[in-house]
Amino acid sequence: MMKKRHLLEKPWFLRLALVGLIAGVLFIYHFVQNSDHSLLCSFAGESPRADSSATQIQLSAILHYATSRIVPQQTLAEITVSFDVLQSLASCNFLVFGLGFDSLMWSSFNARGDTLFLEEDPKWVQTVLKDAPTLRAHTVRYRTHLSEADDLLSTYRSVPECMPPTAYLRGNNRCKLALSDLPDEVYDKEWDLIMIDAPRGYFPEAPGRMAAIFSAAVMARARVRPGVTHVFLHDVDRRVEKVYAEEFLCRKYLVGSVGRLWHFEIPPAASLSRASDSTGFC
C-alpha cells in the first residue's frame, strides 16, 4: 500500500492474478445476492443504487489493474489472506492505515461495505484521489518519530491513559501513542478489519507505526458488537513492527502469518478477565 513514491514493477502474472481476484469479487457478489446471509454482515437497507455503486468500483478496479504496470507491494499470498477474511464477512467496516496503489483494490474487495483510508501525507491524498475519486480518505497527524520507538515502549506503562482498562484515543493528549485527533467517524464506528501498512517506518524521522498499532489495539478492545476485530499488520520483518505487535496486538491473538503479514483476531475487552486487563494489553 505504500507510496508509492518508488514505483516498483511486479511480474505480469501478479497483475493478472490481482485482476482475477477482483473479478472473483463480482462472481461472489452475484452468488451471495440470492444466498442465505445469516452468517454474513447485514445487508439491510441496501438499495439497487448501492448495488450499482458496488459493481462500479469493482469494475473500475479491474480496469485500473488490467491497464497499469504499477501493482500493490503486498504479494499475492499476503493479499489473499485479507481477501478471504473480507469475503467471509461480506459488507463490513474496513479501516486502512495507508493510501496507495492498492487502495482501489481494497475498496473493491469491500465494495458494499465501508472502507476508510488514513494517510499521513495530504499531498499524496490529493494525488491518489485525483485518479480514484470514489475512495474515502483522511489525513492523519502523527506525534511520534521512529527514533522514539524504544523510549515510548519502555515508558508508556507509566502513563495511566495508555494502559488498560482506561486507555482511550479521542482527545487523549497524555498518551503519545494514542491517535487523539482523528475524524469523529473513526472513533464512532466499530471496525471489523484494520489493515496497518502505514505510516512510513524506515528512517528515524518517519512517524513509524507505533501509534497505529497501539490505536488499533485500543479500538479492538473497545468493540461492543459481537465477534473479534481482525487486524492485519504488514512489514513484520522490521523490528519495530514486530516488537510493537507483540506488545499490543499479542502473540496469543496471532492466527496467521504469510510472508511479511501477520493476522490477529482480537477479542473485545468485555470478554477478558479483570486480571488480564490489569497486566496490560496481553
Side-chain angles (χ1 to χ4, degrees), residues 93-152:
N93 299 327
F94 186 16
L95 182 66
V96 185
F97 285 87
L99 183 69
F101 295 126
D102 58 356
S103 297
L104 191 58
M105 176 189 71
W106 293 127
S107 189
S108 71
F109 287 169
N110 189 40
R112 299 171 74 190
D114 187 359
T115 304
L116 180 65
F117 300 89
L118 301 178
E119 169 58 41
E120 62 175 301
D121 186 345
K123 291 183 178 179
W124 180 247
V125 171
Q126 294 176 4
T127 298
V128 174
L129 295 188
K130 181 179 179 181
D131 294 330
T134 59
L135 298 178
R136 299 178 56 243
H138 291 299
T139 302
V140 179
R141 182 180 65 86
Y142 290 91
R143 298 183 289 164
T144 59
H145 297 290
L146 185 63
S147 58
E148 303 173 298
D150 291 340
D151 182 62
L152 288 170

Side-chain angles (χ1 to χ4, degrees), residues 59-95:
L59 292 174
S60 296
I62 291 173
L63 176 63
H64 170 77
Y65 293 110
T67 58
S68 174
R69 302 185 69 184
I70 307 301
V71 295
Q73 287 190 338
Q74 289 191 28
T75 66
L76 178 59
E78 292 168 344
I79 292 169
T80 301
V81 175
S82 307
F83 171 82
D84 289 344
V85 174
L86 281 165
Q87 295 311 298
S88 72
L89 296 175
S91 56
C92 297
N93 299 327
F94 186 16
L95 182 66

Side-chain angles (χ1 to χ4, degrees), residues 174-188:
R174 292 183 58 83
C175 180
K176 197 170 183 179
L177 287 171
L179 292 175
S180 60
D181 59 352
L182 297 174
D184 286 340
E185 67 172 314
V186 179
Y187 302 124
D188 294 340

Side-chain angles (χ1 to χ4, degrees), residues 157-231:
R157 289 176 177 270
S158 65
V159 182
E161 289 81 359
C162 288
M163 290 294 294
T166 58
Y168 64 100
L169 298 180
R170 180 161 30 197
N172 187 354
N173 296 318
R174 292 183 58 83
C175 180
K176 197 170 183 179
L177 287 171
L179 292 175
S180 60
D181 59 352
L182 297 174
D184 286 340
E185 67 172 314
V186 179
Y187 302 124
D188 294 340
K189 189 180 295 292
E190 292 194 348
W191 300 99
D192 302 298
L193 294 93
I194 302 175
M195 173 72 74
I196 305 172
D197 206 356
R200 294 170 296 170
Y202 51 87
F203 59 96
E205 295 77 20
R209 297 182 187 170
M210 301 86 70
I213 293 170
F214 173 88
S215 297
V218 173
M219 291 179 193
R221 291 173 58 87
R223 183 181 180 92
V224 175
R225 293 165 58 193
V228 300
T229 301
H230 296 270
V231 178

